[in-house]
């Protein structure tokens, strides 16, 4: 299983962009990179995933390094509602055992 | 939202009693997971299932057992509850493909007194 490294915490201001990094240097060539977030007192929710190319959806963008050993989740214009713990997790084909790291606790200042 | 229902949503029980938590899905997903989350901590995998009657241990499986007799239900049993098992328990489901996301239930808050 590929291990991930994320900063324990980050802080940003409302309406500013936020870049959340994740290192996954042992990722396999066919592993997708998934991101989840967990709002206070709620269950985790899926945010975005990608393989090689950068990806965009209504929630965020995902920038994947060319060597795939790291990725960055981008919140283009943070709101207070984006305050959450963000997790990245690689997933391979047929991977069954999905273990989460500690994630990054994002604080958004008004 | 993916069709995942966890029951009960809240439970208080006494040390030494058995407890069963249920996760029910209507998505026909092959994989199901049980995680626990303690205050201020991340998700820890307890057990997972990759098909009917196919289960395996996660990171923190001691004191827990699971069963999956049909696709839609994944049961987590605390054989003899201890105070250290006070936690919030999350169920998740997924397809097997690498690009398939996990969908989580709303959690069960268990208190062992």
């Amino acid at each position: 299983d590929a291990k991930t490294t994320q900063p324990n915490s980050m802080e940003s201001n409302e309406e500013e962009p936020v870049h959340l990094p994740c290192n996954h240097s042992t990722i396999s060539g066919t592993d997708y990179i998934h991101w989840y977030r967990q709002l206070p007192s709620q269950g985790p929710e899926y945010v975005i995933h990608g393989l090689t190319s950068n990806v965009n959806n209504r929630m965020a963008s995902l920038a994947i390094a060319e060597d795939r050993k790291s990725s960055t989740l981008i919140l283009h214009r943070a709101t207070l509602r984006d305050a959450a713990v963000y997790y990245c997790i690689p997933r391979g084909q047929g991977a069954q055992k999905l273990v989460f790291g500690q994630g990054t606790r994002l604080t958004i200042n008004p | 939202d993916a069709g995942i229902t966890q029951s009960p949503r809240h439970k208080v029980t006494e040390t030494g009693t058995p407890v069963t938590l249920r996760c029910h899905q209507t998505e026909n997903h092959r994989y199901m997971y049980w995680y626990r989350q303690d205050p201020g901590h991340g998700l820890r995998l307890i057990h997972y299932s990759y098909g009917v009657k196919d289960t395996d241990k996660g990171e923190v499986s001691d004191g827990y057992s699971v069963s999956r007799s049909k696709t839609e239900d994944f049961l987590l049993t605390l054989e003899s509850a201890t105070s250290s098992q006070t936690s919030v328990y999350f169920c998740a489901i997924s397809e097997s493909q690498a690009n398939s996301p996990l969908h989580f239930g709303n959690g069960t808050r268990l208190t062992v007194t």
Side-chain angles (χ1 to χ4, degrees), chain A residues 30-32 34 36 38 41-46 49 87 89 91-102 105, chain B residues 31 33 35 37 40-43 45 48 50 57-59 90 94-102 104-106:
Chain A
T30 54
D31 287 359
Y32 278 77
H34 291 249
Y36 296 84
Q38 188 172 19
S41 302
Q42 294 190 27
E45 63 177 351
Y46 164 78
H49 72 271
Y87 301 94
I89 179 170
R91 182 176 190 184
Q93 188 66 25
Q96 301 161 357
K97 187 176 181 180
L98 297 178
V99 174
F100 284 76
Q102 289 300 304
R105 182 174 299 277
Chain B
Y31 290 4
Y33 302 83
Y35 293 89
Q37 187 170 40
H41 290 80
L43 298 157
L45 180 64
Y48 59 98
Y50 45 96
K57 296 178 180 180
E59 306 169 273
F90 289 103
S94 175
E95 294 286 19
S96 62
Q97 293 86 351
N99 61 350
S100 297
L102 286 172
F104 286 83
N106 290 325

Side-chain angles (χ1 to χ4, degrees), chain A residues 10 17-21 72-75:
Chain A
M10 291 183 64
V18 179
H19 290 230
L20 296 160
T72 302
L73 182 71
I74 302 167
L75 308 178

Side-chain angles (χ1 to χ4, degrees), chain B residues 87-113:
Chain B
S87 190
V88 179
Y89 291 85
F90 289 103
C91 173
I93 65 173
S94 175
E95 294 286 19
S96 62
Q97 293 86 351
N99 61 350
S100 297
L102 286 172
H103 299 283
F104 286 83
N106 290 325
T108 293
R109 184 173 297 277
L110 176 68
T111 303
V112 183
T113 61

